[in-house]
């Protein structure tokens, strides 16, 4: 560290302020200050930069030191603020700002807790209704809806006529509507 800090600070210091010997502060506290900063800044090169900036800032503000604390305490305060600012900037740069329109595109409208609870309750009631149906009707309905089969594929799989498949599926849909009404009507009435 050069003597320019000491001469600059004493020349710029007003008569009422305390004179700080930055060269002595550097000699006495550089290593300890570096270890202190490394607690906050994990990268050793960044910690060195923060320590260097600490002494630059101390030289810049030395004339404003009022002597209300020890010079080392003042110096460590500067280092702490610079280390925190460094980390904030580092982590802020990792996060890209996202446009609100983009967030709305990826927002899950089904994530509303009330909506999820309502859907679970309705699903439980529909499941109970399906379990109460005769086994042949339930098997037909499950083949069409759960198996993603067409009426023709379900008829072939269950070895029954296509008309029977349509009739059974229609019976289940009618029972669900009678029990719960149309879900669209329920949502619009809320």
């Amino acid at each position: 560290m050069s003597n320019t800090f000491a001469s600059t600070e004493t020349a710029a210091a007003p008569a009422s302020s305390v004179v700080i010997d930055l060269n002595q502060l550097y000699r006495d506290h550089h290593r300890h200050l570096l270890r202190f900063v490394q607690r906050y800044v994990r990268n050793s090169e960044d910690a060195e930069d923060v320590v260097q900036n600490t002494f630059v800032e101390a030289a810049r503000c030395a004339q404003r030191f009022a002597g209300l604390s020890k010079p080392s305490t003042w110096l460590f305060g500067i280092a702490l603020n610079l280390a925190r600012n460094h980390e904030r900037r580092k982590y802020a740069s990792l996060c890209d700002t996202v446009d609100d329109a983009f967030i709305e595109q990826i927002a899950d409208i089904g994530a509303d807790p009330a909506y999820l609870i309502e859907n679970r309750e309705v699903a439980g009631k529909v499941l109970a209704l399906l379990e109460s149906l005769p086994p042949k009707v339930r098997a037909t309905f499950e083949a069409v809806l759960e198996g993603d089969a067409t009426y023709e594929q379900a008829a072939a799989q269950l070895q029954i006529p296509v008309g029977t498949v349509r009739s059974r599926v229609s019976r289940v849909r009618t029972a669900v509507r009678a029990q719960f009404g149309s879900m669209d009507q329920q949502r619009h009435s809320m």
Side-chain angles (χ1 to χ4, degrees):
M1 188 121 195
S2 72
N3 289 334
T4 55
F5 291 123
S7 63
T8 304
E9 66 183 321
T10 53
S16 63
S17 71
V18 178
V19 176
I20 298 176
D21 184 359
L22 286 174
N23 288 329
Q24 189 61 42
L25 274 176
Y26 181 85
R27 285 190 296 275
D28 293 346
H29 298 290
H30 180 264
R31 279 193 194 137
H32 186 59
L33 189 64
L34 182 59
R35 285 193 305 270
F36 174 76
V37 169
Q38 284 177 334
R39 291 181 196 155
Y40 296 95
V41 180
R42 300 292 180 192
N43 182 326
S44 62
E45 292 172 356
D46 289 346
E48 279 286 347
D49 288 345
V50 169
V51 170
Q52 180 181 1
N53 288 336
T54 299
F55 283 102
V56 169
E57 187 69 17
R60 194 175 68 75
C61 300
Q63 71 276 3
R64 288 187 276 161
F65 179 68
L68 299 175
S69 64
K70 291 193 268 181
S72 61
T73 304
W74 173 73
L75 186 68
F76 277 77
I78 293 171
L80 178 61
N81 287 335
L82 290 175
R84 285 179 180 162
N85 289 342
H86 173 79
E87 289 299 295
R88 279 189 206 115
R89 280 191 308 273
K90 183 172 82 176
Y91 288 113
S93 69
L94 294 177
C95 300
D96 291 334
T97 56
V98 178
D99 186 65
D100 287 340
F102 177 74
I103 291 175
E104 289 176 9
Q105 287 176 355
I106 62 171
D108 183 7
I109 60 169
D112 177 21
Y115 181 74
L116 293 173
I117 290 170
E118 178 188 354
N119 280 350
R120 277 191 212 127
E121 288 175 358
V122 169
K125 290 176 182 178
V126 168
L127 186 60
L129 175 68
L130 291 175
E131 289 175 358
S132 71
L133 295 172
K136 288 182 180 181
V137 173
R138 187 172 57 241
T140 304
F141 188 72
E142 288 172 354
V144 172
L145 292 181
E146 290 181 8
D148 291 328
T150 64
Y151 288 165
E152 292 78 16
Q153 292 168 335
Q157 177 185 350
L158 297 170
Q159 299 176 350
I160 57 175
V162 174
T164 303
V165 171
R166 290 174 200 245
S167 170
R168 289 178 182 174
V169 170
S170 177
R171 233 183 288 161
V172 172
R173 287 183 177 151
T174 302
V176 169
R177 281 191 201 107
Q179 177 97 20
F180 304 108
S182 172
M183 292 303 291
D184 289 334
Q185 290 173 348
Q186 288 181 4
R187 284 199 186 107
H188 291 300
S189 67
M190 292 181 167

